Amino acid sequence: MADETKPASGDSAGLSNGLVSHGDHKSRRVYQAARSLHSGAVKDLLSLGVCERCIFRLVSVEAFDSDLSSVSASTLRSWLESGDEEAASSEESSCCIVCLGVLQFVFSDAKQTLVRSECGSDYAARVTDLVKEEGHEFDSFGLEVYVPATILENERAVLLYLKGKYNSESWLQSEKISVKDALKVLVLDPLKVSLGAKSDSSSFQIRLTYSKASDEAQGASETTRERKKRKTGMSRLYDHHITWLTLLFDLVAIYISLYNEENGSTSMSENSFEKVYEPCILSIHCNKMPIFFSGRYFKYSRNVSQTRWIIDDERMGEASVEVVHLELIGGNILPACLGDSYKFHAAGREDIDVRMLGSGRPFLIEVQNSRKCPSQQSLTEIEEKINKSEKKLVGVKDLKFIGSQCWAMMREGEAEKQKQYAAIVWIARPVEEKDIDSISSLKELKILQKTPVRVLHRRSPLERERTIHWMKVEKIKGSSHYFLLHLCTQAGTYIKEFVHGDLGRTTPSMGSILGCRAEIIQLDVTDVKMGDS
Amino acid sequence: MEETQNIDVTKNPEAEDAIESTKQKQSEEVEHHCDEQQKQSQEEDELRKLLLSDIEELPLSPPSATQLNFVSYFITDFTKPGHDHYIYRHANGLCVIGLAPTHRAFKDQGGITNIDFNVGKSDRSVLKVSGKRKKNAMRSESNTALCKVSTANDSYIVRCCVKGSLLEVNERLMKQPQLLNSSADREGYIAIIMPRPADWTKNKESLITLEEYKEKKQDILLEPYFSDIPHLRRLALMSDLSSRIVSQIEYYFRRIRAMTDDIHLILRSMGSSTTVEVQVNS
């Protein structure tokens, strides 16, 4: 147990500390890997202030894997050190110059307190606490990590230094795993255990965002600093000279940095390693993909005011077609899902003064970032609650949860939808029997509609051909000038303009068919035929 | 539904089982069908009740779509005396321009016989405006010429009266100029113009409302003869006759005119040169 296998490439200056205990084979693997690292490089990096796991990441030939998370940083350090006194253990508490504490499991939380975790499971436990605060219900999750950009710059600087010193070494040539991916590898398994969930690219994402503690750019790369100096110097020149001269300088700077990357530089410029490195601030955000509910809605209110127009100088838009009280439906579902917000999509819409009766219009509610998925039982309760509400403005039918095929359901039949209406029509002369017959006999009547004046300000002026599939006239008791007109038309037909003719821009119109003036008093949608549902 | 089922059965005469089962299904479905029909008619009744729920509130003669959605403005003696136009402005800002009932063109015997949109630098009837942004619309000033209407004796230039983009001209008028005589305020509109909000505010100052128009032109509006429909409309304006009665009178008047035309035809064929004239005095 006391003798460890000596590595092939290491020099014999590295004495192994035989007092390390190997409880399980994971730790032993890590120990062996630690001892197999190039000890000169390890010593250099330790003295620069690079953390243990970053050293593993940068110097090891083997793939960086999750076994490392079970070993605490201090243990790792003791295995990496050769026992020389120069490796001062008081550096333990300082922040890594490459990963800024990310891989050391050190971060500041929202209250600016420093949180340290020794090993992966401890870190996972803290993350779990923060995730649980968001209140989501989930059984699988995906993990995303965001780190500040300076980490990449720091890493590049360190690699340059290593290349300068150990250019020919084999371990230098392999692809190094990034800090982001390294963190994911380290914490994924402990998180799975601690959250009690599977991991997959699912609908629920946990995002760990590390951001820099201070706002000033630390360790800015050479090129940006030079660029800043240059700008003040060039202020005397004309603008157009500046643009292509700065372009030229940028190209030169890029060339220089490329050259450096290939050949390395033996010493780092004084600017690079004198900064104070602070741990990052970690914020956790959980996001669930939107969930959908479908159903059919009815609209019973006909929000018409007597004075429809106000004579003033403001350009008044048409009465808003977005019906505010339809939001009642979403407003009831959102609390049941504990979501952040919702969007209401309907398969078409009707004017504010038109009621939606009959079989209802299909709609979708999209809930963003819902915390829990309501059961069918609770959906039925919501439906009843809306239908029984006092004001009787809207009604809902068939409210249910629906998966990703919802959009297909909306798209299909959108252009082929036939719609049925019932309108109360007034004409200038009494209704006669022959009118009823002549109207009912018109099947598949083709009409040409120019864009109605009431929407002409926001739609293109086109001439649209539409079909009226059938019509039926019903006399109204007690009035000789009014009748009830049932009609079934192609999607996109303007019914009001078909009745009153829109200054003659819709032909044929009810008025031209009957030979007298016709006006529409009220309009109701009685059916919205979807493809099959 | 039952018809299609019979056709299916006759297609497969050998499959007796098939016939058996379809017959069974048929009878089941007939029952189901009856239930459904009952349910359907129940639903229809409920629907009808809803549809006709506001029936008591139906007015005897409702306001027209034009009256509901548009605000009427008039401009009188525009560039020349007797050139009166109406501007109906929709709630969305678009303006419909046409000839007001007191326009001089209506006084000429026989009314308006022809209309020509080829005035000024271009033919207004061939402009094609496209897209939401109304590309290619002609920008017009208030005195830009819109068209020329001709009667038997004279011709008059109609101007835009509103500064804005010309969206549309009523090219139906080219084939049916009599629309101007019969319904200049509806099917006989001349053009649709879209003014900018700032331009409209400035323009508005030179326009007058319906009430002011009636007052200003009451001598013309009260001229006591009825032989043509525009005059009828003038009277309706002045006396606030309900539009239902006006349209009824219009309708019967047209019938009388058709009858007098027929009478003329018969008289001509009999070789007589008698003329029939109908006059109604107030």
Side-chain angles (χ1 to χ4, degrees), chain A residues 308-309 313 316 355 428 450 453-454 456-459 474 476 482 503-505 517 519 522 524, chain B residues 48 50-51 55 59 64-65 68-69 90-92 94 129 132 134 168 171-172 186 189 204 248:
Chain A
R308 231 191 251 184
W309 31 263
D313 294 337
M316 239 186 37
R355 292 187 300 185
K450 284 204 179 145
V453 179
R454 63 186 167 100
L456 189 52
H457 66 292
R458 58 181 165 86
R459 296 199 62 184
E474 228 180 85
I476 296 181
Y482 287 95
L503 304 175
R505 295 162 82 249
R517 213 182 87 189
E519 303 287 346
Q522 77 176 35
D524 296 318
Chain B
R48 284 202 70 233
L50 268 177
L51 288 173
I55 201 88
S64 74
L68 266 182
N69 299 319
H90 195 274
N92 61 21
L94 295 179
V129 178
K132 273 195 207 172
K134 316 294 185 278
E168 185 181 303
E171 68 274 337
R172 271 174 302 279
R186 283 167 56 96
Y189 77 95
K204 209 177 138 185
Q248 283 194 315

Side-chain angles (χ1 to χ4, degrees), chain B residues 38 46 52 58 63-64 81 87 94 97-98 103 133 138 144 153 158 174 187 194 198 209-210 215 242 258 268:
Chain B
Q38 249 190 344
E46 280 182 22
L52 299 173
L58 288 177
S64 74
I87 295 142
L94 295 179
I97 316 286
H103 197 281
R133 305 262 170 248
M138 185 179 96
T144 315
N153 311 333
V158 179
M174 302 205 295
E187 282 81 13
M194 182 165 80
T209 64
L210 179 59
E215 245 188 68
S242 86
R268 298 287 158 272

Side-chain angles (χ1 to χ4, degrees), chain A residues 393-416:
Chain A
L393 292 175
V394 291
V396 178
K397 185 174 92 161
D398 289 347
L399 186 62
K400 61 181 194 283
F401 185 76
I402 193 169
S404 50
Q405 71 270 25
C406 54
W407 292 116
M409 189 193 89
M410 283 280 139
R411 294 281 168 267
E412 111 204 333
E414 213 175 46
E416 300 106 45

